[in-house]
Amino acid sequence: MTLKLVYDFGEGNAAMKSLLGGKGANLAEMNRNGLPVPPGFTVTTSGCHAFFEAGRRLPYAVEQQIQSALERLEKERNQRFGDPDNPLLVSVRSGAVTSMPGMMDTILNLGLNDKTAEGLASLTGSERFAYDCYRRLIQMFGQVVFGMESIHFETMLRRLKKQEGVESDQDLNGDAWRRLVREYKEGLLRHTGRAFPESVYEQLKLAVEAVFQSWNNRRAQVYRKINGIPDDQGTAVTIQAMVFGNRGNDGGTGVVFTRHPSTGEKVLFGEYLLNAQGEDVVAGVRTPEPVSLLKSRMPEIYRELEQAARQLERTGRDMQDIEFTIEKGKLYLLQTRNGKRTAQAALKLAVDLVEEGLITREEAVQRIEVSHLEQLLHRGIDEAAVPEVWVKGLPASPGAAVGRIAFEADTAEAWRREGKPSVLVRPETTPEDIHGVVAAEGVLTTRGGMTSHAAVVARGMGKPCVCGCEAMAVDLERGELKAGGKVLREGDWITLDGASGRVFPGRIPLKEASATRELLTLLQWADDIRRLRVFANADNPEDAETARRFGAEGIGLCRTEHMFFTPARLEVMRSMILAESEEERRAALDQLLPMQQHDFEGIFRAMDGLPVTIRLLDPPLHEFLPQREELERRLDESGSPEERERLKRMIRKAESLHEVNPMLGHRGCRLGIVHPEIYDMQVEAIFKAAARCIEEGIKVQPDIMIPLVGDVSELKVLRGLVEQAAEQVLSPDMRAHCPYRVGTMIEVPRAALTAGSIAEHADFFSFGTNDLTQMTFGYSRDDAEGKFLSHYLDKKMLARNPFEVLDSEGVGQLIELAVERGRARKSSLKTGICGEHGGNKESIGFCHRTGLDYVSCSPYRVPMARIAAAQAAIEEAAALTFK
Amino acid sequence: MTLKLVYDFGEGNAAMKSLLGGKGANLAEMNRNGLPVPPGFTVTTSGCHAFFEAGRRLPYAVEQQIQSALERLEKERNQRFGDPDNPLLVSVRSGAVTSMPGMMDTILNLGLNDKTAEGLASLTGSERFAYDCYRRLIQMFGQVVFGMESIHFETMLRRLKKQEGVESDQDLNGDAWRRLVREYKEGLLRHTGRAFPESVYEQLKLAVEAVFQSWNNRRAQVYRKINGIPDDQGTAVTIQAMVFGNRGNDGGTGVVFTRHPSTGEKVLFGEYLLNAQGEDVVAGVRTPEPVSLLKSRMPEIYRELEQAARQLERTGRDMQDIEFTIEKGKLYLLQTRNGKRTAQAALKLAVDLVEEGLITREEAVQRIEVSHLEQLLHRGIDEAAVPEVWVKGLPASPGAAVGRIAFEADTAEAWRREGKPSVLVRPETTPEDIHGVVAAEGVLTTRGGMTSHAAVVARGMGKPCVCGCEAMAVDLERGELKAGGKVLREGDWITLDGASGRVFPGRIPLKEASATRELLTLLQWADDIRRLRVFANADNPEDAETARRFGAEGIGLCRTEHMFFTPARLEVMRSMILAESEEERRAALDQLLPMQQHDFEGIFRAMDGLPVTIRLLDPPLHEFLPQREELERRLDESGSPEERERLKRMIRKAESLHEVNPMLGHRGCRLGIVHPEIYDMQVEAIFKAAARCIEEGIKVQPDIMIPLVGDVSELKVLRGLVEQAAEQVLSPDMRAHCPYRVGTMIEVPRAALTAGSIAEHADFFSFGTNDLTQMTFGYSRDDAEGKFLSHYLDKKMLARNPFEVLDSEGVGQLIELAVERGRARKSSLKTGICGEHGGNKESIGFCHRTGLDYVSCSPYRVPMARIAAAQAAIEEAAALTFK
């Protein structure tokens, strides 16, 4: 039996996504459910594989099955493909398994040629309509199949409008479009050396091949890379009878969301254009009307649309994004898919759907894209600091962004590599700009609506976006952005507020948002579900308070060195480093002690009743001295002999402290071993702070963490130091109220390997996955990212950046091994991670599976981590169910 | 029953070493065998433990048992301890389990006080003798028990001699000695506040306590550290009746080796002094006569000594070092132990003893101290370059040394830390100088014989030593060394030849020695025994030839970057790095290719039939550029505009290549991935060289090694590059003759962890233990050794320097795991190590136990490695036998 490679809509259903693609499966399902879908059929993803296996050629079996399906379609529509008297026109679209909006190519109006166009004109009585369709076909076909750039078509169209003396496409008549068709065809031949095929079957074959081909175009590859979609999934192709929204004012086209994609509110939300094809909406060339207006204009259609929306939502168990067309007063649904949404909308939706009984709490938690929470929790404009608004556009994707104006995606990408934040500013964006959106802090366009490319893509990535900001003029050639008499140039600072659509010149301070009811509800559900505890990294009382507000169950990492970086303290720290005698050093340390103690007290108060993990001094001492060049410059400029003496001492000290590989040098507990007086001071400050807080009635739980242990002897010695300090500082009564623990960062591979013996002297292990990753890979992060890591990622030699997503294959092995050996030696051992990975979803999943007790991340990531931890628990439960 | 803590000689035997110490056990054994040993008894090492457990006090049980033993000794000698009429005098000596020559304290003549001294004088009829003994006791007791410095005693003695107008101690009469005794006692009280005890029992108790105490003195600790002796072994104390060699010219004392300790020749070798006590010989104050002269002077005694020597050698199954004393014409053996020997003697002895049927071949191999082989294989004076001899001393320990003159041990140690080679120059050395001997390249003394402290210690360490160089005058105060009208100052260069005793001012070129018959025999035996193969590291044809001469079975590491470091090549290399276009870079590479090819040809020829492991470029490119400061200096000085332009380019390039942690930066295969043209060139050069050699009829086996792989994808890509080059360069026929392999260095922890997948694309693993140690510990060797590692070693936080001895606990785990996983995936996988550890005995043992196929080390270490590999096999067999 021949393999079935083509399915009519009537033959499929929603479950056949991997075969029919998301689009094909949904259309089939809609058809099954009696929704008004134009008929059609789908070439399966197996067809795509066959195409690539045959050396990028459409195999005969596929061609044959398309032919049969086409014949059935002709029958159903009562039209004939290529028949000038009654031409069947079709759309050809890609349909990947995972929705990839704007990524794959689409061709509409296929089936038009010189004869059928003429036929369509007489059939519809509108030459204008027929040749508008035809020129659209030639343009799309030319771009997608023959690879001609859109600018050529646009130039020809612009020239035509100039000749005709009109502003808008609407104002061109049939004859003008007919002339454009001729020009397009000539242009196509001139630019690509290939003629537009008059044979409609040839058109179809080439179009299907082009869609398959487009699976491997650059923007699709970029999208898959960003979204972690496997390269071998392949795409299906859906061929569907065309319906036309641009055959007069009793037609139109639009996009509707079943709920508001920015807020999640339960209202139909969307836009439509009368007398238009779908391309017009998506491209953002004309600014459409809100769908609510349709209610008064076409009440029947609106009601039908509303019903269909509800039905699709129930079937899809999620908010839907529906494309529709009205042809001569009849509604057609062209496609539906789960709608992209803002973080805020996603939360509201998840909670609402649970309350409406459509999904479970677990599903609701599972649906939250943790990376999107950042949108809610980070970056809003600090309203207190807001100057007058410069201009305002559409609030297309919430969150605020501050960056330098980049007019080209390549510029934004280049600046990203240099660490310069940018805002991508374009008249409108196209899929070609996607790497610029990835690189930029936010996106600003002067054209296009809430469902324009820029808006959809930005929301998908959780990037702030303001679009359709028509009060603004972008002059790409001169590199200027003008509005209200003010001119900004490329590289100037600009601030966006994607939540309100406001745009400001310069840099506006940002502020963090507070949690919504829905977020609190979801977090509560997540807390009920998760097993992993979530701690935060905080180096001062303010951060500790924020962390607790976000639900941190403790401090997983307090970096004591950060307490030394204010100017006054830095001076004392330097005196300590420069000290030439034990006495001098102790004097400086005596000054530092009360400063640290004060900070510790604040943190203990903020975390009353919760554990506070304090890491003793970690960085090499030279990090506290100014750069050599800076010192020499100051020496050249300085007059005072004392100052010069001190500078010279600093230079000598900096020289003696200089290291070839500071990452692997004299830092961490190696400092504590060689200079025990520093750790002595820190531990004394911790216990004095604890004592003070205990007197105030606060419950303290200091977990003292020794960094960079590589051999048990280091921990043994320094544990002794801590215990001695506890005895000296705390009265026996106090000690009873201060159940301190001593543990270590596991960040050196050897520590993981010898975890068994280390556990004998440790109450807890905290995996310092930043350094552990550096040493396990032998990558200095400072050097790798600029020099070879990006190359490795581009060439897919590494699937993910190991500094972002924990490398479970290598680094993860060390963690598993250390946890296993550590627990075997001491069952009460507490384990967690405190590297940047603690705020990364996949890495949190790894920590859950490995059985760690907690993850620790930055305060703003705590909610994300709570969700991610719950998701890991849900996935685990699901995996167990499958077994 | 009370624990027995004291054993008479008659109660012990040779097997009771750990209880009686080496000295006590040997004396007991000698006594058992009817050899003429003065009677005595031993306080056991358990007594030592009891002493320390009791808080450094002699427990009552020990005192009591000593008392009983003393009574038995009185009976046997027919003398009474403390009896002026017939006083028993004893020696008190330490006796550690492992011989520690000169390390522990000894007191002679104990039992003398004002009354018994007077008694001894009348009994012997010699006031001179009695008071000489007495003053010696006071001095030794004062130093050992009360800690008074020897200089004070020497000053008093010098003053006395001056007063008396005599040159030599021999010339002082009884009255003079009697006055000295009074002065010594007064001095003792003045300097230490303690009076010399008149009670002989008090003397004995304090002396025993002092010996126990001395187990923990600094020089003993240093010795144990150097020799790897456990700190908790403890020492025994042997108390033995005194016999006197200094009661007239019918007495004497000496030291005899049963074979020549420098050559291993089967002759009695040693020195004696007539009318002297043992101290006189060891201290090197008087220059003694060779023992051969005794044959004519006291033929009976000599014969008896000869017989005893043979008997002791048979019992000990090794060459013996015997102390003897002749008292009034009767021979006494004071102690025997295995004699220290030079490397050369050790080899001859080992081979001779096998041939004499005393030991097996395995025992012979097992007895070779691999570290001593260095003495034979490294460093001899290049006779072609030898100038006139300046002065000549005794050839005390073979090998040649070049260094700067250091007059103090502390200076030598300080210079060592700065990397400055030194030669320690002293009138004579004492145990206080031992750290200087460790630090120096060699030792030169102006006084003392072949068995003086300096000579014994230097031979023990395998350091070159010239001693008794009396033609030379050392003026410590002025810091000058004078001889033959020439003056050298501290810091000046000097060269020693310990094999001939010659000393040269300045730096003389050194040359390597060739192998002796005994070495070749032993190596042959070792080769028969060992399983581990031994390769060498060689970067050029000359080293490859040397390696093969020393028995290397292949090249384990050829560092291709070393081929770029000659000035002409470096220029081309720099052009390659500075190239601004692909074209320019290729042009430079085209110039480098024939240079590399030429070297590879030479190496293939040298290793005809054996594998040659070639590592592709490893160091970061900036290592090939001059230092930034150097470039700036040259820029300041340079006039030519082209030169300035090039310098500026280099500065810009150096800046762009600068790395924060170069160790973990853009190097190894990361270069090959980002700049494949470099590796392309290298691989092409390898295959072109192979083709040329194959044409000459040479058998080539190139093993191409990819450095710093951390993920299998790197190896996969670069293996592809190698295979492609092979196809391009080699004809199919050639390929059949060029069975190349592609493998990787395992030097990044992640590579070891993911060894399973890496093995799929690797034919061999070579463990780069230098980098693997750095990354596993998180130690940058450049920074660690100067900054904290020495501290760790001093404080015994790490037992051994992991860069010298492979850390089996941590790094070793990774190696074991990688071997296991690699072999599980590919059973034919070849494994070896090529770090510096490949030349270290313990590390070689680890490699054997882990089942590696080979170790690779520097050419001169190949013989050592062959022996060490055999020793590992023998130890393994022994361990299996015990099981």
Side-chain angles (χ1 to χ4, degrees), chain B residues 371-412:
Chain B
S371 61
H372 284 191
L373 288 185
E374 214 160 335
Q375 241 172 288
L376 280 180
L377 298 163
H378 275 266
R379 286 183 280 175
I381 294 281
D382 181 356
E383 297 297 338
V386 160
E388 226 176 289
V389 178
W390 183 31
V391 277
K392 220 174 152 178
L394 298 173
S397 179
V402 178
R404 293 171 184 278
I405 295 172
F407 287 121
E408 300 293 338
D410 289 344
T411 313

Side-chain angles (χ1 to χ4, degrees), chain A residues 595-662:
Chain A
M595 300 172 179
Q596 287 229 309
Q597 185 184 336
H598 177 262
D599 287 352
F600 290 140
E601 285 172 20
I603 294 173
F604 286 142
R605 281 187 201 107
M607 301 308 290
D608 186 1
L610 298 177
V612 175
T613 314
I614 298 166
R615 181 179 71 183
L616 301 184
L617 191 70
D618 182 55
L621 294 180
H622 49 73
E623 279 197 11
F624 297 97
L625 297 181
Q627 293 283 314
R628 177 75 195 266
E629 290 75 19
E630 166 68 10
L631 286 168
E632 278 170 1
R633 193 189 53 71
R634 273 155 63 180
L635 186 61
D636 284 346
E637 289 169 3
S638 167
S640 121
E642 285 142 45
E643 176 62 12
R644 290 179 61 80
E645 197 34 60
R646 187 173 159 89
L647 285 167
K648 281 189 199 157
R649 262 171 75 181
M650 270 204 250
I651 291 176
R652 279 197 304 273
K653 193 75 195 179
E655 265 171 20
S656 83
L657 290 177
H658 172 78
E659 292 181 314
V660 183
N661 298 292

Side-chain angles (χ1 to χ4, degrees), chain A residues 567-588:
Chain A
R569 294 177 176 192
L570 195 54
E571 267 318 287
V572 187
M573 188 68 186
R574 286 176 183 166
S575 302
M576 191 277 289
I577 294 168
L578 294 176
E580 278 166 5
S581 67
E582 177 85 15
E583 229 176 17
E584 233 182 291
R585 182 170 311 120
R586 293 232 173 248

Side-chain angles (χ1 to χ4, degrees), chain A residues 6 20 98 284 397 436 450 461 671 809 814 871:
Chain A
V6 173
L20 303 180
T98 314
S397 179
M450 295 288 283
M461 294 184 189
L671 284 173
E809 195 185 343
L814 285 178
Q871 291 178 339

Side-chain angles (χ1 to χ4, degrees), chain A residues 656 658 660-664 670 713-714 748 750 753 776-778 780 783 787 792 797 807 813 821, chain B residues 658-664 670 713-714 748 750 753 776-778 780 783 787 792 797 807 813 821:
Chain A
S656 83
H658 172 78
V660 183
N661 298 292
M663 176 54 216
L664 307 177
R670 300 164 194 174
S713 63
E714 295 169 318
V748 169
R750 195 175 186 278
L753 292 165
T776 305
F777 272 86
S780 161
D783 303 309
K787 291 205 164 102
Y792 276 32
M797 294 181 54
D807 161 50
Q813 260 193 66
R821 296 188 182 174
Chain B
H658 172 79
E659 292 183 313
V660 183
N661 298 291
M663 175 53 215
L664 307 177
R670 300 164 194 173
S713 63
E714 295 168 317
V748 169
R750 194 173 185 278
L753 292 166
T776 305
F777 272 87
S780 161
D783 303 310
K787 295 212 159 97
Y792 277 30
M797 293 180 54
D807 161 52
Q813 259 192 69
R821 295 187 183 175

Side-chain angles (χ1 to χ4, degrees), chain B residues 200-315:
Chain B
V200 294
Y201 293 102
E202 182 71 7
Q203 285 176 12
L204 185 59
K205 187 182 159 211
L206 289 174
V208 171
E209 286 182 345
V211 170
F212 284 154
Q213 194 68 50
S214 77
W215 174 253
N216 273 338
N217 73 19
R218 196 187 157 224
R219 62 199 210 215
Q221 283 183 358
V222 169
Y223 187 91
R224 286 201 296 273
K225 195 170 148 185
I226 295 167
N227 292 279
I229 300 170
D231 279 341
D232 59 0
Q233 219 173 51
T235 183
V237 183
T238 291
I239 292 147
Q240 192 175 20
M242 283 299 299
V243 291
F244 293 99
N246 54 349
R247 286 175 69 175
N249 282 328
D250 59 348
T253 188
V255 172
V256 73
F257 290 82
T258 57
R259 316 226 172 182
H260 196 298
S262 288
T263 65
E265 223 185 321
K266 197 171 179 178
V267 292
L268 276 199
F269 173 87
E271 295 165 320
Y272 75 99
L273 277 169
L274 283 186
N275 198 10
Q277 263 194 320
E279 280 294 291
D280 300 322
V281 182
V282 176
V285 176
R286 281 163 59 197
T287 303
E289 294 188 325
V291 85
S292 53
L293 284 185
L294 199 61
K295 196 173 189 170
S296 45
R297 296 221 184 163
M298 299 180 171
E300 277 300 313
I301 293 285
Y302 185 81
R303 203 166 43 246
E304 200 183 344
L305 187 61
E306 219 172 20
Q307 275 169 359
R310 291 297 150 240
Q311 185 177 340
L312 286 170
E313 208 181 65
R314 272 197 307 278
T315 314

Side-chain angles (χ1 to χ4, degrees), chain A residues 40-103:
Chain A
F41 55 89
T42 299
V43 188
T44 63
T45 51
S46 307
C48 182
H49 297 141
F51 167 82
F52 281 109
E53 274 155 27
R56 304 183 174 235
R57 278 189 47 256
L58 209 59
Y60 177 68
V62 177
E63 255 186 274
Q64 218 178 13
Q65 293 185 33
I66 289 177
Q67 182 59 38
S68 312
L70 200 56
E71 283 164 17
R72 291 191 296 276
L73 185 56
E74 287 177 330
K75 244 178 236 153
E76 181 161 357
R77 280 288 281 181
N78 198 22
Q79 294 174 320
R80 298 238 326 271
F81 197 48
D83 179 356
D85 294 338
N86 190 18
L88 170 67
L89 303 190
V90 297
S91 65
V92 178
R93 298 174 200 249
S94 66
V97 177
T98 314
S99 165
M100 292 167 67
M103 285 297 105

